[in-house]
Structures are given as C-alpha cells and as structure tokens.
Amino acid sequence: MQAQHEIENAMPAASDKLNIESIRRDFPILNLKVHGRQLVYLDNAATTQKPQVVLDAIQRYYTEQNSNVHRGVHYLSQLATREYEGARVKIQRFINAAESHEVIFTHGATEGINLIASSYGRKFVHEGDEVIISAMEHHSNIVPWQMLCEQVGAKLRIIPINEKGELLIDDLEAMINARTRLIALVHLSNALGTINPVKRVIDIAHSHDVPVLLDGAQATSHLKIDVQELDCDFYVFSGHKVCGPTGIGVLYGKSQWLESMPPFMGGGDMISSVSFEKTTYNSLPYKFEAGTPNIEGAIGLGVALDYLTGIGIDRIAEYENELLDYATEVIGSIPGVKLIGTAREKSSVLSFTLENIHPHDIGTILDQEGIAIRAGHHCAQPVMKFFNVPATARASFSFYNTKQEIDTLAEGIQRVIEVFG
Ligand code: 7TS
C-alpha cells in the first residue's frame, strides 16, 4: 500500500512545499499524548519515528514472508531472500553506490565503524601509522580508533574545530603524512549540527592517497547522499535515524577496499567452504555478513528509504532548513539561552544551554509539557569539553515537525526559566 502523501506529493503541485499535515498522518506515534499533553517529538537525532508503511512492511514480513535467507529451496526462503536482496538494491540506489555488493548490512553506524576499524585496521594500520578523526566526533567514531591504535601502536590525530563548531580544514593538509592510513570524519555532527566540507576533505585526502570514511549517521536523513559523487571510500549510517527500524544499518565501501579486507566476524553465510584445514570466504557482500541477518530490518529500511525518496530528500532538506532557521531565531533570542554550535553550514540540530540551569532540568521540565528533547553530552564528551559545558539541551528536527512545535518548545523554555529563575 502506498502512503497517501506519496501520491499527493508525487503530483505536480502549485507550490513545491511539503504537505506536513498529510505527512504527519503517516506517523501514528505523533498523535500520542505524554503526561496529558500532545507529544512534541524533538529528539530526532537520537532516533526518528516510523511511518505506517514501515510498520506494515515489518508486520507483513512476519505474517507472510518470514524465513531465513540464502539457504532454502522452499518458497518462503526464496521470498525472504528476494525481499532482503531487493532492499540492498534500494539502498544502493538511495546512496548511488556503483554496485549492490558494496552495500553491507550491519546493525548500525556503530557496527559499521567498528567493522572498518577491525578489518581495515588489521590489514592496513600498523605500528607508527596514524589515523585522523575530528574534534566533533560521536564516541562511535572515536573509541573504535582508540582501541585500534592501542592494539597496534598507532597514533590518533585530531582535526581541531573553532568556537562556532566548524572544522579547521586548513590544518588538515599539514596533518597528513606518509604514515596516515585513514581519515574518519562525521558528515553532520549530532552535537552541533555542523555539516562538514566532506568533499574538500576527500579531495585533500585522495591527493595523498589516503582513504576516507564518513560517519553519515545524522547526514543520511537530512542531505542527499551520493557516494560516487563524494568519492568517499566508506560511508556508514543507521536505519533507525532514517525512519527505518532499529538494529539495521549500512556500511558502504568501494569494492576495491572491501575485496582487500579480511572478514570482520566468522560464522555462517560468510564462507565459501569450511574444513578444519582451511576455510575460504564468500564473495561480497556476504563475506561481511556472518550469521542470520536482521531480515525484517533490511526490508523495513528499504521501505523507509522509498518513503523518503517519495517525499524527496531535497524538499526535506529545504523544509528542515526553514525549521532550523526559525528555531535558531525563536529559541536563540530567549534571554539566557546560549546556542552551542553556530556553524555557517548546519542542519536540524539546535544545541543550547540556559544560564544557571542544568540541561537535565531543562529536559525534565520540558518532558512534563510533552516535549521530548535530549539533555546530556550526546555521546560527544570531547565536544562538551571544548565548549566548556557539562552537557547541552538539544532539540533536533525532522520533516514532520512544525513551526508550531518550535513555538511550544519556546513556551516550554520560558516555563523552565520561571521554575528555576
Ligand atoms: N555517529 C553519529 C554522528 C551519531 O549521531 C550517532 C548516534 C552514531 C554515530 C551512532 O549511531 P548508532 O545508531 O550506531 O547508535 N547519535 C545519537 C544521538 O545523537 N543521540 O542518540 C544517539
């Protein structure tokens, strides 16, 4: 069944604006009341809500298609395999990968980065080598590299940021040397909302023959991703942040890298033949997909990406920029509010502090008003340290949010100030 808005939005409209009311009807959870108040869900950087078409796809999988993949001659196994592999092709098209076998299913961005750190790391990173990340990374793109560097005796180098939360890209050229083995960089920061100049980073890196991994956990739901145009070597994202299910994610890798890397985990499906003397590995993408995969997650993710494509990522980005501009003005002008992260290129994230009020108190009072934001370090403790704050309050937007909800947030913040002022 096609979502109503897909049909409406597919038709040429007098204005190219999104029909937000129609879109909101696709997300049953948005009708929820929390503490007797209408839910205002502004924690989309943590996870997005799911449209009915995704919920239906998961239900349909378990009621009509459930079977294991790649191993049965029977009807259901062939059907589940077709659906699972069909999802891979949908993802390939969504990120414009050259080949579907360059799309590896993982259980999220975190696993994708760990896979590269473990597999690429084992093959290509040795004692004395260097890996470059940035000062605005999520812990998922710090800790795996620290673990690798510790294990092999390599060095982690950090591209600094300025007080707006922008990458000091001019420093990068001088950081790259003959021992640099990889640059791993966030595409869109979850703590600051900064969109990094990733194409420039990739061009600089490639001029030194250094590959680049992009952490697209946030970017994939807000920006059009074209891995061939970017020419990135690896790209990771999570299904649950792009209106898909939890427990499914994607690692894109250029064939030439994936072919040259050893498997990440051993087990079923990733082998070609096994004997006690010698095991040979399966071809891509299966070499990196040991064990029974998250079949309904992959199918649900494919449907979620179809849904986003139906609306149009460019239109989503345009509307979300409008929301962020509005929120920056309305929330940023409240006395006592300090915005953390004011990069020129930003999307969908508004991190802030309130003078003399702890972000957890902000989050708790807003919750009583039915408003869901995140308060904390956002798994980016080095960012908090750089801005000299223990935590921030963070409102993060999706295309189903409205300016009215931002007004409700502003009223909630006024209430916080009244309570603690
Ligand atoms: N990288 C970035 C930039 C992220 O924002 C996140 C999750 C991850 C990696 C890890 O994604 P996962 O799906 O594997 O967990 N970020 C957040 C957040 O901002 N609030 O909750 C999770």
Side-chain angles (χ1 to χ4, degrees):
M1 195 183 71
Q2 205 171 9
Q4 184 59 28
H5 81 80
E6 274 185 53
I7 298 157
E8 286 172 17
N9 282 310
M11 291 192 298
S15 126
D16 208 28
K17 294 275 178 212
L18 299 185
N19 183 345
I20 305 301
E21 264 178 46
S22 157
I23 285 173
R24 287 181 69 86
R25 282 197 292 275
D26 294 336
F27 292 80
I29 205 169
L30 297 179
N31 290 324
L32 211 65
K33 295 259 188 301
V34 172
H35 306 307
R37 302 296 190 93
Q38 173 60 48
L39 169 68
V40 174
Y41 186 77
L42 298 175
D43 194 16
N44 294 288
T47 198
T48 54
Q49 299 302 347
K50 321 303 171 198
Q52 188 65 49
V53 281
V54 169
L55 307 179
D56 288 346
I58 295 169
Q59 166 92 358
R60 188 165 55 248
Y61 172 72
Y62 281 117
T63 50
E64 299 172 22
Q65 302 164 338
N66 178 43
S67 185
N68 213 328
V69 290
H70 305 143
R71 58 198 81 195
V73 291
H74 62 77
Y75 168 82
L76 276 181
S77 181
Q78 292 192 4
L79 178 60
T81 303
R82 218 166 36 239
E83 292 286 323
Y84 179 73
E85 292 303 329
R88 196 189 306 276
V89 173
K90 287 181 183 186
I91 289 148
Q92 176 202 354
R93 291 194 187 124
F94 189 80
I95 60 172
N96 194 30
E99 307 281 349
S100 64
H101 64 243
E102 294 178 317
V103 172
I104 311 292
F105 284 118
T106 63
H107 67 246
T110 302
E111 186 186 329
I113 297 168
N114 276 276
L115 189 159
I116 301 299
S118 164
S119 167
Y120 176 92
R122 226 176 320 146
K123 180 84 181 271
F124 295 108
V125 183
H126 305 293
E127 191 174 352
D129 286 345
E130 298 182 358
V131 172
I132 298 178
I133 60 170
S134 87
M136 67 171 94
E137 302 303 323
H138 185 279
H139 296 166
S140 296
N141 201 29
I142 301 175
V143 184
W145 304 114
Q146 282 176 325
M147 288 161 62
L148 170 67
C149 287
E150 212 167 279
Q151 218 170 4
V152 304
K155 187 173 164 195
L156 194 60
R157 302 195 60 182
I158 317 292
I159 313 169
I161 56 174
N162 66 20
E163 70 290 346
K164 288 181 164 177
E166 293 167 326
L167 203 65
L168 294 179
I169 194 173
D170 291 345
D171 291 22
L172 178 62
E173 188 88 44
M175 289 172 72
I176 300 176
N177 61 45
R179 302 311 299 263
T180 310
R181 291 291 167 261
L182 184 82
I183 298 176
L185 178 68
V186 70
H187 193 171
L188 197 173
S189 155
N190 69 315
L192 301 168
T194 308
I195 300 172
N196 279 320
V198 291
K199 183 64 189 143
R200 270 184 68 203
V201 170
I202 291 163
D203 288 346
I204 294 169
H206 285 179
S207 71
H208 297 269
D209 291 327
V210 172
V212 176
L213 158 68
L214 294 180
D215 172 359
Q218 296 296 334
T220 309
S221 56
H222 305 296
L223 307 173
K224 173 101 195 76
I225 307 302
D226 183 331
V227 291
Q228 291 189 78
E229 195 183 312
L230 284 169
D231 199 26
C232 56
D233 301 274
F234 304 104
Y235 199 96
V236 299
F237 66 96
S238 295
H240 70 97
K241 292 188 201 282
V242 287
C243 298
T246 48
I248 187 77
V250 169
L251 159 66
Y252 158 80
K254 281 183 183 167
S255 287
Q256 77 227 44
W257 285 119
L258 296 176
E259 295 282 8
S260 66
M261 285 158 45
F264 174 45
M265 295 197 293
D269 236 19
M270 53 72 73
I271 54 90
S272 173
S273 74
V274 176
S275 72
F276 289 122
E277 289 71 38
K278 180 157 180 63
T279 289
T280 56
Y281 304 126
N282 207 340
S283 55
L284 291 176
Y286 312 111
K287 181 171 90 174
F288 290 106
E289 293 181 4
T292 299
N294 181 351
I295 305 164
E296 88 281 13
I299 295 169
L301 174 56
V303 172
L305 297 184
D306 280 349
Y307 176 85
L308 296 179
T309 304
I311 299 172
I313 291 287
D314 290 338
R315 295 168 77 206
I316 286 175
E318 194 185 331
Y319 176 68
E320 287 174 342
N321 284 342
E322 228 177 86
L323 282 181
L324 181 65
D325 287 347
Y326 184 72
T328 303
E329 195 183 311
V330 171
I331 309 297
S333 61
I334 297 173
V337 165
K338 180 169 179 229
L339 300 181
I340 305 290
T342 50
R344 236 169 320 139
E345 296 293 329
K346 263 192 85 169
S347 175
S348 304
V349 169
L350 197 76
S351 255
F352 60 95
T353 56
L354 263 178
E355 222 172 354
N356 301 325
I357 304 174
H358 195 281
H360 285 135
D361 292 328
I362 303 174
T364 306
I365 301 280
L366 291 178
D367 176 57
Q368 290 306 308
E369 310 280 327
I371 304 166
I373 61 148
R374 185 168 173 194
H377 53 61
H378 316 296
C379 301
Q381 285 182 354
V383 173
M384 301 297 118
K385 190 168 174 207
F386 176 82
F387 285 96
N388 204 19
V389 290
T392 73
R394 182 190 67 184
S396 50
F397 310 107
S398 184
F399 56 91
Y400 44 69
N401 289 127
T402 64
K403 289 184 181 170
Q404 213 177 346
E405 289 181 309
I406 291 166
D407 291 338
T408 308
L409 171 65
E411 286 159 22
I413 293 172
Q414 295 290 3
R415 174 109 184 92
V416 175
I417 295 169
E418 272 165 38
V419 172
F420 286 95

